[in-house]
Coordinates of all heavy atoms in Angstrom, one line a residue:
E66 N 10.4 5.8 3.3 CA 11.1 4.8 4.1 C 11.0 3.4 3.5 O 11.6 2.5 4.0 CB 10.4 4.7 5.5 CG 9.0 4.2 5.5 CD 8.4 4.3 6.9 OE1 8.8 5.2 7.7 OE2 7.5 3.6 7.1
K69 N 14.5 2.5 2.5 CA 15.5 2.4 3.5 C 15.7 1.0 3.9 O 14.7 0.2 3.9 CB 15.1 3.2 4.7 CG 15.2 4.7 4.5 CD 14.8 5.5 5.8 CE 14.8 6.9 5.6 NZ 14.4 7.7 6.8
K70 N 16.9 0.6 4.4 CA 17.1 -0.8 4.8 C 16.4 -1.0 6.1 O 16.7 -0.3 7.1 CB 18.6 -1.0 4.9 CG 18.9 -2.5 5.2 CD 20.4 -2.7 5.2 CE 20.8 -4.1 5.6 NZ 22.2 -4.3 5.8
K71 N 15.6 -2.0 6.2 CA 14.9 -2.3 7.4 C 15.7 -3.4 8.2 O 15.7 -4.6 7.8 CB 13.5 -2.7 7.2 CG 12.6 -1.6 6.6 CD 11.2 -2.1 6.4 CE 10.4 -1.0 5.8 NZ 9.0 -1.4 5.6
D72 N 16.4 -3.1 9.2 CA 17.1 -4.0 10.0 C 16.6 -3.9 11.5 O 17.1 -3.0 12.2 CB 18.6 -3.8 9.9 CG 19.4 -4.9 10.5 OD1 18.9 -5.9 10.8 OD2 20.6 -4.7 10.7
K73 N 15.8 -4.7 11.9 CA 15.2 -4.6 13.2 C 16.1 -5.2 14.3 O 15.8 -5.1 15.5 CB 13.8 -5.3 13.3 CG 12.8 -4.6 12.4 CD 11.5 -5.2 12.5 CE 10.5 -4.5 11.7 NZ 9.1 -5.0 11.8
S74 N 17.2 -5.9 13.9 CA 18.1 -6.5 14.9 C 19.0 -5.5 15.5 O 19.8 -5.8 16.4 CB 18.9 -7.6 14.3 OG 19.7 -7.1 13.3
K75 N 19.0 -4.2 15.1 CA 19.9 -3.2 15.6 C 19.5 -2.8 17.0 O 20.4 -2.5 17.8 CB 19.9 -2.0 14.7 CG 20.7 -2.1 13.4 CD 20.7 -0.8 12.7 CE 21.4 -0.9 11.4 NZ 21.4 0.3 10.7
V76 N 18.2 -2.8 17.3 CA 17.7 -2.3 18.6 C 17.5 -3.5 19.5 O 16.8 -4.4 19.2 CB 16.4 -1.5 18.4 CG1 15.9 -1.1 19.8 CG2 16.6 -0.4 17.5
I77 N 18.2 -3.5 20.6 CA 18.1 -4.6 21.6 C 17.5 -3.9 22.9 O 18.1 -3.0 23.4 CB 19.4 -5.2 21.9 CG1 19.9 -5.9 20.7 CG2 19.2 -6.2 23.1 CD1 21.3 -6.5 20.8

Side-chain angles (χ1 to χ4, degrees):
E66 67 186 26
K69 291 182 183 176
K70 184 179 178 184
K71 294 181 181 178
D72 189 15
K73 294 184 179 182
S74 65
K75 286 183 179 179
V76 178
I77 299 173

